[in-house]
PDB file of all heavy atoms in Angstrom:
ATOM      1  N   ILE A 102      82.194 136.672 181.276  1.00 96.00           N
ATOM      2  CA  ILE A 102      82.767 135.740 180.288  1.00 96.00           C
ATOM      3  C   ILE A 102      81.736 134.740 179.758  1.00 96.00           C
ATOM      4  O   ILE A 102      82.075 133.845 178.982  1.00 96.00           O
ATOM      5  CB  ILE A 102      83.981 134.987 180.866  1.00 96.00           C
ATOM      6  CG1 ILE A 102      83.582 134.085 182.037  1.00 96.00           C
ATOM      7  CG2 ILE A 102      85.072 135.974 181.264  1.00 96.00           C
ATOM      8  CD1 ILE A 102      84.731 133.228 182.576  1.00 96.00           C
ATOM      9  N   GLY A 103      80.471 134.904 180.172  1.00 94.00           N
ATOM     10  CA  GLY A 103      79.416 134.039 179.655  1.00 94.00           C
ATOM     11  C   GLY A 103      79.412 132.641 180.224  1.00 94.00           C
ATOM     12  O   GLY A 103      78.964 131.687 179.563  1.00 94.00           O
ATOM     13  N   LEU A 104      79.864 132.489 181.463  1.00 96.00           N
ATOM     14  CA  LEU A 104      79.921 131.170 182.094  1.00 96.00           C
ATOM     15  C   LEU A 104      78.604 130.859 182.791  1.00 96.00           C
ATOM     16  O   LEU A 104      78.154 131.613 183.660  1.00 96.00           O
ATOM     17  CB  LEU A 104      81.068 131.119 183.105  1.00 96.00           C
ATOM     18  CG  LEU A 104      81.171 129.834 183.928  1.00 96.00           C
ATOM     19  CD1 LEU A 104      81.423 128.619 183.040  1.00 96.00           C
ATOM     20  CD2 LEU A 104      82.268 129.967 184.984  1.00 96.00           C
ATOM     21  N   LYS A 105      77.986 129.754 182.434  1.00 92.00           N
ATOM     22  CA  LYS A 105      76.782 129.299 183.109  1.00 92.00           C
ATOM     23  C   LYS A 105      77.170 128.641 184.434  1.00 92.00           C
ATOM     24  O   LYS A 105      78.138 127.894 184.509  1.00 92.00           O
ATOM     25  CB  LYS A 105      76.023 128.296 182.237  1.00 92.00           C
ATOM     26  CG  LYS A 105      75.543 128.864 180.910  1.00 92.00           C
ATOM     27  CD  LYS A 105      74.883 127.788 180.075  1.00 92.00           C
ATOM     28  CE  LYS A 105      74.428 128.347 178.729  1.00 92.00           C
ATOM     29  NZ  LYS A 105      73.809 127.289 177.874  1.00 92.00           N
ATOM     30  N   THR A 106      76.396 128.938 185.480  1.00 90.00           N
ATOM     31  CA  THR A 106      76.712 128.367 186.787  1.00 90.00           C
ATOM     32  C   THR A 106      76.096 126.978 186.913  1.00 90.00           C
ATOM     33  O   THR A 106      75.303 126.696 187.813  1.00 90.00           O
ATOM     34  CB  THR A 106      76.228 129.302 187.915  1.00 90.00           C
ATOM     35  OG1 THR A 106      74.858 129.610 187.703  1.00 90.00           O
ATOM     36  CG2 THR A 106      77.051 130.565 187.973  1.00 90.00           C
ATOM     37  N   LYS A 107      76.460 126.126 185.985  1.00 94.00           N
ATOM     38  CA  LYS A 107      76.092 124.717 185.984  1.00 94.00           C
ATOM     39  C   LYS A 107      77.367 123.894 186.100  1.00 94.00           C
ATOM     40  O   LYS A 107      78.373 124.218 185.467  1.00 94.00           O
ATOM     41  CB  LYS A 107      75.349 124.344 184.707  1.00 94.00           C
ATOM     42  CG  LYS A 107      74.090 125.171 184.438  1.00 94.00           C
ATOM     43  CD  LYS A 107      73.000 124.867 185.445  1.00 94.00           C
ATOM     44  CE  LYS A 107      71.713 125.617 185.097  1.00 94.00           C
ATOM     45  NZ  LYS A 107      70.641 125.369 186.101  1.00 94.00           N
ATOM     46  N   ALA A 108      77.322 122.831 186.894  1.00 96.00           N
ATOM     47  CA  ALA A 108      78.538 122.064 187.180  1.00 96.00           C
ATOM     48  C   ALA A 108      79.225 121.569 185.910  1.00 96.00           C
ATOM     49  O   ALA A 108      80.445 121.664 185.775  1.00 96.00           O
ATOM     50  CB  ALA A 108      78.201 120.891 188.099  1.00 96.00           C
ATOM     51  N   ARG A 109      78.460 121.058 184.949  1.00 96.00           N
ATOM     52  CA  ARG A 109      79.069 120.533 183.729  1.00 96.00           C
ATOM     53  C   ARG A 109      79.733 121.636 182.920  1.00 96.00           C
ATOM     54  O   ARG A 109      80.837 121.459 182.378  1.00 96.00           O
ATOM     55  CB  ARG A 109      78.016 119.830 182.883  1.00 96.00           C
ATOM     56  CG  ARG A 109      78.516 119.129 181.631  1.00 96.00           C
ATOM     57  CD  ARG A 109      79.315 117.858 181.940  1.00 96.00           C
ATOM     58  NE  ARG A 109      80.756 118.057 182.008  1.00 96.00           N
ATOM     59  CZ  ARG A 109      81.626 117.123 182.371  1.00 96.00           C
ATOM     60  NH1 ARG A 109      81.177 115.926 182.740  1.00 96.00           N
ATOM     61  NH2 ARG A 109      82.909 117.368 182.412  1.00 96.00           N
ATOM     62  N   ALA A 110      79.089 122.795 182.842  1.00 96.00           N
ATOM     63  CA  ALA A 110      79.658 123.917 182.089  1.00 96.00           C
ATOM     64  C   ALA A 110      80.951 124.402 182.735  1.00 96.00           C
ATOM     65  O   ALA A 110      81.935 124.698 182.033  1.00 96.00           O
ATOM     66  CB  ALA A 110      78.645 125.059 182.002  1.00 96.00           C
ATOM     67  N   VAL A 111      80.971 124.495 184.062  1.00 97.00           N
ATOM     68  CA  VAL A 111      82.175 124.956 184.755  1.00 97.00           C
ATOM     69  C   VAL A 111      83.301 123.947 184.602  1.00 97.00           C
ATOM     70  O   VAL A 111      84.447 124.306 184.313  1.00 97.00           O
ATOM     71  CB  VAL A 111      81.870 125.208 186.245  1.00 97.00           C
ATOM     72  CG1 VAL A 111      83.148 125.596 186.984  1.00 97.00           C
ATOM     73  CG2 VAL A 111      80.822 126.303 186.402  1.00 97.00           C
ATOM     74  N   ALA A 112      82.993 122.662 184.776  1.00 97.00           N
ATOM     75  CA  ALA A 112      84.015 121.625 184.642  1.00 97.00           C
ATOM     76  C   ALA A 112      84.594 121.587 183.236  1.00 97.00           C
ATOM     77  O   ALA A 112      85.815 121.486 183.047  1.00 97.00           O
ATOM     78  CB  ALA A 112      83.437 120.267 185.020  1.00 97.00           C
ATOM     79  N   ASP A 113      83.740 121.697 182.231  1.00 97.00           N
ATOM     80  CA  ASP A 113      84.225 121.696 180.839  1.00 97.00           C
ATOM     81  C   ASP A 113      85.127 122.893 180.577  1.00 97.00           C
ATOM     82  O   ASP A 113      86.131 122.785 179.855  1.00 97.00           O
ATOM     83  CB  ASP A 113      83.047 121.692 179.866  1.00 97.00           C
ATOM     84  CG  ASP A 113      82.400 120.327 179.713  1.00 97.00           C
ATOM     85  OD1 ASP A 113      82.992 119.339 180.195  1.00 97.00           O
ATOM     86  OD2 ASP A 113      81.304 120.245 179.130  1.00 97.00           O
ATOM     87  N   MET A 114      84.764 124.050 181.127  1.00 97.00           N
ATOM     88  CA  MET A 114      85.613 125.218 180.931  1.00 97.00           C
ATOM     89  C   MET A 114      86.989 124.994 181.543  1.00 97.00           C
ATOM     90  O   MET A 114      88.015 125.295 180.913  1.00 97.00           O
ATOM     91  CB  MET A 114      84.969 126.448 181.562  1.00 97.00           C
ATOM     92  CG  MET A 114      85.810 127.716 181.416  1.00 97.00           C
ATOM     93  SD  MET A 114      85.195 129.115 182.394  1.00 97.00           S
ATOM     94  CE  MET A 114      85.617 128.567 184.056  1.00 97.00           C
ATOM     95  N   LEU A 115      87.043 124.470 182.757  1.00 97.00           N
ATOM     96  CA  LEU A 115      88.329 124.261 183.417  1.00 97.00           C
ATOM     97  C   LEU A 115      89.166 123.222 182.700  1.00 97.00           C
ATOM     98  O   LEU A 115      90.402 123.326 182.657  1.00 97.00           O
ATOM     99  CB  LEU A 115      88.102 123.854 184.873  1.00 97.00           C
ATOM    100  CG  LEU A 115      87.382 124.886 185.745  1.00 97.00           C
ATOM    101  CD1 LEU A 115      87.164 124.348 187.145  1.00 97.00           C
ATOM    102  CD2 LEU A 115      88.162 126.194 185.792  1.00 97.00           C
ATOM    103  N   LEU A 116      88.519 122.241 182.104  1.00 97.00           N
ATOM    104  CA  LEU A 116      89.252 121.178 181.402  1.00 97.00           C
ATOM    105  C   LEU A 116      89.673 121.593 179.992  1.00 97.00           C
ATOM    106  O   LEU A 116      90.785 121.275 179.551  1.00 97.00           O
ATOM    107  CB  LEU A 116      88.386 119.917 181.314  1.00 97.00           C
ATOM    108  CG  LEU A 116      88.135 119.163 182.622  1.00 97.00           C
ATOM    109  CD1 LEU A 116      87.028 118.137 182.438  1.00 97.00           C
ATOM    110  CD2 LEU A 116      89.426 118.483 183.103  1.00 97.00           C
ATOM    111  N   PHE A 117      88.813 122.316 179.286  1.00 96.00           N
ATOM    112  CA  PHE A 117      89.038 122.548 177.852  1.00 96.00           C
ATOM    113  C   PHE A 117      89.054 124.022 177.435  1.00 96.00           C
ATOM    114  O   PHE A 117      89.399 124.324 176.287  1.00 96.00           O
ATOM    115  CB  PHE A 117      87.938 121.850 177.039  1.00 96.00           C
ATOM    116  CG  PHE A 117      87.819 120.383 177.298  1.00 96.00           C
ATOM    117  CD1 PHE A 117      86.762 119.883 178.056  1.00 96.00           C
ATOM    118  CD2 PHE A 117      88.750 119.489 176.807  1.00 96.00           C
ATOM    119  CE1 PHE A 117      86.640 118.526 178.299  1.00 96.00           C
ATOM    120  CE2 PHE A 117      88.637 118.130 177.044  1.00 96.00           C
ATOM    121  CZ  PHE A 117      87.568 117.638 177.790  1.00 96.00           C
ATOM    122  N   GLY A 118      88.654 124.942 178.303  1.00 96.00           N
ATOM    123  CA  GLY A 118      88.497 126.335 177.909  1.00 96.00           C
ATOM    124  C   GLY A 118      89.801 126.996 177.498  1.00 96.00           C
ATOM    125  O   GLY A 118      90.884 126.669 178.001  1.00 96.00           O
ATOM    126  N   GLU A 119      89.690 127.970 176.598  1.00 95.00           N
ATOM    127  CA  GLU A 119      90.851 128.706 176.124  1.00 95.00           C
ATOM    128  C   GLU A 119      91.315 129.690 177.197  1.00 95.00           C
ATOM    129  O   GLU A 119      90.518 130.393 177.805  1.00 95.00           O
ATOM    130  CB  GLU A 119      90.495 129.479 174.854  1.00 95.00           C
ATOM    131  CG  GLU A 119      91.641 130.323 174.308  1.00 95.00           C
ATOM    132  CD  GLU A 119      91.234 131.189 173.128  1.00 95.00           C
ATOM    133  OE1 GLU A 119      90.040 131.158 172.755  1.00 95.00           O
ATOM    134  OE2 GLU A 119      92.103 131.896 172.592  1.00 95.00           O
ATOM    135  N   ALA A 120      92.630 129.751 177.431  1.00 95.00           N
ATOM    136  CA  ALA A 120      93.205 130.722 178.361  1.00 95.00           C
ATOM    137  C   ALA A 120      93.546 131.982 177.579  1.00 95.00           C
ATOM    138  O   ALA A 120      94.473 131.996 176.776  1.00 95.00           O
ATOM    139  CB  ALA A 120      94.445 130.152 179.032  1.00 95.00           C
ATOM    140  N   ARG A 121      92.775 133.052 177.811  1.00 95.00           N
ATOM    141  CA  ARG A 121      92.949 134.293 177.064  1.00 95.00           C
ATOM    142  C   ARG A 121      93.500 135.394 177.958  1.00 95.00           C
ATOM    143  O   ARG A 121      93.216 135.435 179.164  1.00 95.00           O
ATOM    144  CB  ARG A 121      91.608 134.740 176.472  1.00 95.00           C
ATOM    145  CG  ARG A 121      90.992 133.743 175.505  1.00 95.00           C
ATOM    146  CD  ARG A 121      89.690 134.279 174.935  1.00 95.00           C
ATOM    147  NE  ARG A 121      89.900 135.506 174.166  1.00 95.00           N
ATOM    148  CZ  ARG A 121      88.915 136.243 173.667  1.00 95.00           C
ATOM    149  NH1 ARG A 121      87.647 135.884 173.879  1.00 95.00           N
ATOM    150  NH2 ARG A 121      89.180 137.343 172.989  1.00 95.00           N
ATOM    151  N   LEU A 122      94.269 136.298 177.368  1.00 94.00           N
ATOM    152  CA  LEU A 122      94.762 137.450 178.108  1.00 94.00           C
ATOM    153  C   LEU A 122      93.619 138.427 178.354  1.00 94.00           C
ATOM    154  O   LEU A 122      92.823 138.693 177.455  1.00 94.00           O
ATOM    155  CB  LEU A 122      95.866 138.149 177.326  1.00 94.00           C
ATOM    156  CG  LEU A 122      97.222 137.440 177.245  1.00 94.00           C
ATOM    157  CD1 LEU A 122      98.154 138.207 176.315  1.00 94.00           C
ATOM    158  CD2 LEU A 122      97.845 137.279 178.617  1.00 94.00           C
ATOM    159  N   ILE A 123      93.552 138.956 179.560  1.00 94.00           N
ATOM    160  CA  ILE A 123      92.547 139.980 179.862  1.00 94.00           C
ATOM    161  C   ILE A 123      93.250 141.231 180.387  1.00 94.00           C
ATOM    162  O   ILE A 123      94.333 141.155 180.973  1.00 94.00           O
ATOM    163  CB  ILE A 123      91.500 139.489 180.881  1.00 94.00           C
ATOM    164  CG1 ILE A 123      92.149 139.183 182.240  1.00 94.00           C
ATOM    165  CG2 ILE A 123      90.757 138.271 180.345  1.00 94.00           C
ATOM    166  CD1 ILE A 123      91.138 138.917 183.337  1.00 94.00           C
ATOM    167  N   GLY A 124      92.626 142.375 180.163  1.00 91.00           N
ATOM    168  CA  GLY A 124      93.148 143.616 180.705  1.00 91.00           C
ATOM    169  C   GLY A 124      92.847 143.727 182.186  1.00 91.00           C
ATOM    170  O   GLY A 124      91.925 143.092 182.705  1.00 91.00           O
ATOM    171  N   THR A 125      93.615 144.537 182.878  1.00 94.00           N
ATOM    172  CA  THR A 125      93.432 144.731 184.315  1.00 94.00           C
ATOM    173  C   THR A 125      93.472 146.217 184.641  1.00 94.00           C
ATOM    174  O   THR A 125      93.841 147.051 183.813  1.00 94.00           O
ATOM    175  CB  THR A 125      94.532 144.016 185.120  1.00 94.00           C
ATOM    176  OG1 THR A 125      95.808 144.604 184.812  1.00 94.00           O
ATOM    177  CG2 THR A 125      94.571 142.526 184.799  1.00 94.00           C
ATOM    178  N   GLY A 126      93.101 146.528 185.868  1.00 96.00           N
ATOM    179  CA  GLY A 126      93.276 147.864 186.406  1.00 96.00           C
ATOM    180  C   GLY A 126      94.188 147.806 187.609  1.00 96.00           C
ATOM    181  O   GLY A 126      94.512 146.723 188.117  1.00 96.00           O
TER     182      GLY A 126
END
Side-chain angles (χ1 to χ4, degrees):
I102 64 175
L104 175 62
K105 298 176 181 178
T106 52
K107 303 291 185 182
R109 185 72 266 174
V111 176
D113 282 349
M114 179 190 71
L115 298 178
L116 290 167
F117 303 106
E119 178 186 2
R121 299 182 62 186
L122 288 174
I123 64 171
T125 64

